[in-house]
Amino acid sequence: MGPTVATFYKFWNFMDPRLKKKRDENSQPEMLEGAKSMGAGAATIASAGAAVGIGNVFSSLIHSVARNPSLAKQLFGYAILGFALTEAIASFAPMMACVFSLYLRV
């Protein structure tokens, strides 16, 4: 089924240069709001990376303790340090999402 006459006229009015100023004034706030939402969503992807990083830290701890049980105490301290640093990076993701959505003005 091809485009209807109404679709053609909508497209033609969209392409009309005389209406460009009116179209730009109306669409800019919505476009910026959408860009803020996309930025906030992209910032939260870091949570998945932090989960993978924490899994790698404790997986390495288990492998290391299995290979050399006498170093378990020292390795656990390193694992907790790695966990804390990975979690600190993960805490930046919601902070950036809040900055994008709350503090960037349209």
Side-chain angles (χ1 to χ4, degrees), residues 6-19 23:
T7 306
F8 176 73
Y9 283 122
K10 280 183 187 177
F11 178 73
W12 185 256
N13 285 337
F14 180 75
M15 297 298 291
D16 190 359
R18 294 174 292 178
L19 300 175
R23 183 175 64 243

Side-chain angles (χ1 to χ4, degrees), residues 2 10 12 14 16 19 22 27 46 48 50 54 56 66 75 84 88 100-101:
K10 280 183 187 177
W12 185 256
F14 180 75
D16 190 359
L19 300 175
K22 183 178 177 186
S27 64
I54 291 169
N56 283 339
L75 291 174
F100 288 154
S101 60

Side-chain angles (χ1 to χ4, degrees), residues 61 64-79:
L61 173 68
S64 301
V65 170
R67 290 184 75 165
N68 195 352
S70 63
L71 291 177
K73 240 182 190 176
Q74 184 180 7
L75 291 174
F76 185 73
Y78 291 149

Side-chain angles (χ1 to χ4, degrees), residues 12-106:
W12 185 256
N13 285 337
F14 180 75
M15 297 298 291
D16 190 359
R18 294 174 292 178
L19 300 175
K20 184 178 185 317
K21 184 176 181 185
K22 183 178 177 186
R23 183 175 64 243
D24 289 345
E25 289 172 357
N26 292 339
S27 64
Q28 191 162 359
E30 290 90 6
M31 288 175 60
L32 289 175
E33 193 65 35
K36 283 185 356 181
S37 298
M38 287 175 18
T44 57
I45 293 174
S47 301
V52 170
I54 291 169
N56 283 339
V57 166
F58 285 107
S59 171
S60 297
L61 173 68
I62 291 169
H63 286 286
S64 301
V65 170
R67 290 184 75 165
N68 195 352
S70 63
L71 291 177
K73 240 182 190 176
Q74 184 180 7
L75 291 174
F76 185 73
Y78 291 149
I80 294 299
L81 178 64
F83 169 76
L85 292 175
T86 307
E87 194 65 29
I89 295 298
S91 67
F92 289 133
M95 180 183 66
M96 292 308 294
C98 288
V99 165
F100 288 154
S101 60
L102 298 176
Y103 295 115
L104 292 178
R105 297 291 175 201
V106 175

